[in-house]
Amino acid sequence: QVQLKEHGPGLVKPSRTLSLICAVSGDSLTAGHYYYNWVRQVPGKDREWVGAIDVSGSTYFTPSLASRLFIWRDTSKDQFTLQLSSVTPADTAVYFCARSTSLDNARAGVYDYWGQGIQVTVSS
């Protein structure tokens, strides 16, 4: 059974860097044809695909966040990490990690496994 779980701070001050870890179990970050994604959702707004890392370690970012975003993985721990710099209150959202079988599916909101999500609030 594949499981994903997000870890990280619930509160980040403006202009700081947000770091979130997704711990994956029952799966390998280097096998198959999968993309490991970060997605966020603000209440009342559409879910937003943030970015992804594939099984070869290549990364993909939504253009609006690309200048502030890094995603990397630690294959020894089966974890992948999101780092978003210079955060503002507009980055307040529930952040999810999720697995998809293609980038098109990820951008369309189609995932086969999801984490439970973690609320992140950007506030001083």
Side-chain angles (χ1 to χ4, degrees), residues 7 28 52 54 61 93 99 104 121:
H7 300 274
S28 168
D54 69 17
F61 304 139
R99 193 182 80 169
D104 285 343
T121 301

Side-chain angles (χ1 to χ4, degrees), residues 62-76:
T62 192
S64 63
L65 298 176
S67 64
R68 301 193 286 129
L69 184 63
F70 283 104
I71 297 175
W72 71 88
R73 63 183 182 175
D74 184 339
T75 57
S76 67

Side-chain angles (χ1 to χ4, degrees), residues 105-118:
N105 280 350
R107 290 167 175 148
V110 178
Y111 305 97
D112 56 359
Y113 292 99
W114 284 86
Q116 63 185 19
I118 183 169

Side-chain angles (χ1 to χ4, degrees), residues 33-37 52-55 60 98-103 106:
H33 300 281
Y34 299 111
Y35 294 78
Y36 296 89
N37 302 273
I53 187 166
D54 69 17
V55 294
Y60 310 85
R99 193 182 80 169
S100 66
T101 57
S102 72
L103 270 184

Side-chain angles (χ1 to χ4, degrees), residues 7-59:
H7 300 274
L11 180 65
V12 184
K13 294 184 183 299
S15 81
R16 299 290 180 88
T17 295
L18 167 66
S19 292
L20 296 174
I21 292 173
C22 182
V24 181
S25 60
D27 195 10
S28 168
L29 296 181
T30 59
H33 300 281
Y34 299 111
Y35 294 78
Y36 296 89
N37 302 273
W38 288 100
V39 181
R40 67 183 187 180
Q41 185 156 28
V42 176
K45 294 188 177 181
D46 290 339
R47 187 185 303 145
E48 178 184 24
W49 176 77
V50 173
I53 187 166
D54 69 17
V55 294
S56 71
S58 296
T59 53

Side-chain angles (χ1 to χ4, degrees), residues 12-18 68 84-89 91 122-124:
V12 184
K13 294 184 183 299
S15 81
R16 299 290 180 88
T17 295
L18 167 66
R68 301 193 286 129
L84 184 64
S85 62
S86 303
V87 297
T88 73
D91 294 310
V122 180
S123 174
S124 55

